[in-house]
Amino acid sequence: METFPDQFMEFHPVHGTNISLDHSRTQATRVESFANGVCFSKHPLKPGEIFLVEIVDKEPGWCGHLRVGLTARNPRVLEVVPEYSIPDLTDLGNSWVFAITRNHNKVESAVMEGQEAGDGGRAGGQRLGQGEVEDEDKRSGDNSNSKSFFTESYLHIENVRIPKDKLVGRSRPGRYSHILDDLYKTNALPPMARRSRIGVLYVAKGGDVADMHIIINGEDMGPSAKGIPASQPLFAVVDVFAATKCVQIVQVEYGFSSLRTLCRKAIQKHIIHRMAIDWLELPEALKHYCKYE
């Protein structure tokens, strides 16, 4: 497994005309309409390095959801940022993008043609695999992922190892937050729900090719695109489209965990649910960090 130092992830200054970035370039908000929300990572990804975002805000009334993927096109040399990632960017070639939809499950096909029914017509896109209702029901009722979340420290994808601590979304603290947290961990909630975390990475396969993987709340959706040419830089693509209004980059620690992260993991491992953190004699800043992360 290739190791690399932690890199502070940012969005590229080149983006769709309806996107506004915050001062840190880690939060992207679509300020109007439903399109022109295509964003890129500031730097190309390294093999096994995940570009992870959390859905911060939604906008009711639009049909369609977040799209993520990779592109070998350097955003800086684009004459104009495409209005849609699907099909405008993908039609340019050397771009692989998928729509994150309600009917997600393990990816069974990497076909890039076709559109998801009911996901915005021309700006539709393709769902991640077909899935089966019984499989989703089984996942919804199985809390084994929830129980093992803090004991299994890494998500393994072939020879890639990704720290699991940041991959799963968590609800805002509240009366039912402990129930919602379990739903995030078992991937029972729709992937486009607020606080869901969605990431993209590629795994080198040898011979200068790679497979692209999409991660939804800590679950690997499988190789959604195979045989991607990895001899050229690959940038992450995040299309803040339609019902998705705002996304925030989540920084992932690959090296030694910070003391703050180690404290949070130890505290969360020994409590029933996050509301119990309020009862602990801890600094307010640490309580806030434990509850929100």
Side-chain angles (χ1 to χ4, degrees):
M1 171 185 170
E2 181 182 354
T3 59
F4 40 83
D6 292 344
Q7 176 175 266
F8 186 77
M9 292 289 188
E10 301 176 47
F11 286 114
H12 202 284
V14 174
H15 50 71
T17 56
N18 284 336
I19 284 294
S20 174
L21 301 180
D22 70 345
H23 69 280
S24 67
R25 289 183 178 171
T26 61
Q27 183 167 291
T29 304
R30 195 186 67 257
V31 293
E32 63 180 6
S33 185
F34 65 93
N36 285 305
V38 177
C39 304
F40 307 94
S41 58
K42 182 178 180 181
H43 303 288
L45 300 184
K46 301 179 179 69
E49 186 177 32
I50 189 170
F51 192 81
L52 183 67
V53 297
E54 179 179 287
I55 297 176
V56 175
D57 198 11
K58 307 293 294 297
E59 186 170 14
W62 294 115
C63 182
H65 302 281
L66 188 72
R67 290 96 179 275
V68 298
L70 297 171
T71 183
R73 295 185 172 272
N74 190 331
R76 195 171 296 280
V77 300
L78 286 174
E79 292 184 7
V80 61
V81 177
E83 184 176 8
Y84 305 106
S85 60
I86 305 171
D88 296 2
L89 180 62
T90 54
D91 282 353
L92 294 176
N94 288 332
S95 298
W96 305 267
V97 183
F98 282 87
I100 306 301
T101 73
R102 183 176 297 275
N103 300 310
H104 78 280
N105 203 326
K106 297 294 184 181
V107 172
E108 298 172 355
S109 172
V111 179
M112 299 304 293
E113 305 278 347
Q115 297 178 343
E116 172 68 6
D119 195 26
R122 176 178 177 272
Q126 180 182 343
R127 68 183 180 183
L128 291 172
Q130 304 305 310
E132 296 180 2
V133 174
E134 50 266 33
D135 289 339
E136 294 183 0
D137 290 342
K138 188 182 298 182
R139 283 211 315 274
S140 300
D142 180 9
N143 64 354
S144 59
N145 290 343
S146 174
K147 292 178 180 178
S148 63
F149 180 72
F150 289 111
T151 57
E152 295 179 5
S153 299
Y154 295 93
L155 173 67
H156 295 270
I157 305 174
E158 298 186 24
N159 63 332
V160 171
R161 204 172 59 156
I162 307 169
K164 211 170 184 180
D165 182 48
K166 293 291 187 74
L167 296 182
V168 177
R170 296 181 178 90
S171 65
R172 292 291 183 185
R175 180 176 298 179
Y176 303 108
S177 61
H178 59 294
I179 300 174
L180 288 172
D181 288 347
D182 286 342
L183 295 178
Y184 282 117
K185 293 172 187 178
T186 55
N187 223 346
L189 289 177
M192 58 282 192
R194 284 185 180 88
R195 308 289 289 173
S196 282
R197 294 184 176 182
I198 298 166
V200 62
L201 71 150
Y202 69 93
V203 178
K205 301 296 288 185
D208 290 331
V209 297
D211 291 349
M212 181 179 80
H213 287 249
I214 291 174
I215 312 300
I216 300 177
N217 284 321
E219 183 180 356
D220 176 22
M221 296 293 106
S224 50
K226 296 184 177 182
I228 293 176
S231 57
Q232 49 194 324
L234 294 172
F235 294 80
V237 179
V238 176
D239 189 354
V240 187
F241 177 69
T244 303
K245 177 73 171 177
C246 178
V247 298
Q248 172 82 42
I249 295 175
V250 179
Q251 307 295 336
V252 178
E253 298 173 335
Y254 293 92
F256 292 107
S257 298
S258 66
L259 178 60
R260 188 172 68 162
T261 298
L262 292 173
C263 288
R264 185 186 71 232
K265 292 178 71 174
I267 291 168
Q268 290 176 334
K269 189 174 181 179
H270 292 90
I271 60 174
I272 300 172
H273 58 78
R274 285 187 301 158
M275 298 311 295
I277 292 175
D278 287 327
W279 307 334
L280 303 178
E281 295 182 1
L282 295 172
E284 287 301 318
L286 182 56
K287 289 183 182 180
H288 184 274
Y289 182 65
C290 290
K291 289 191 291 185
Y292 277 71
E293 284 293 328

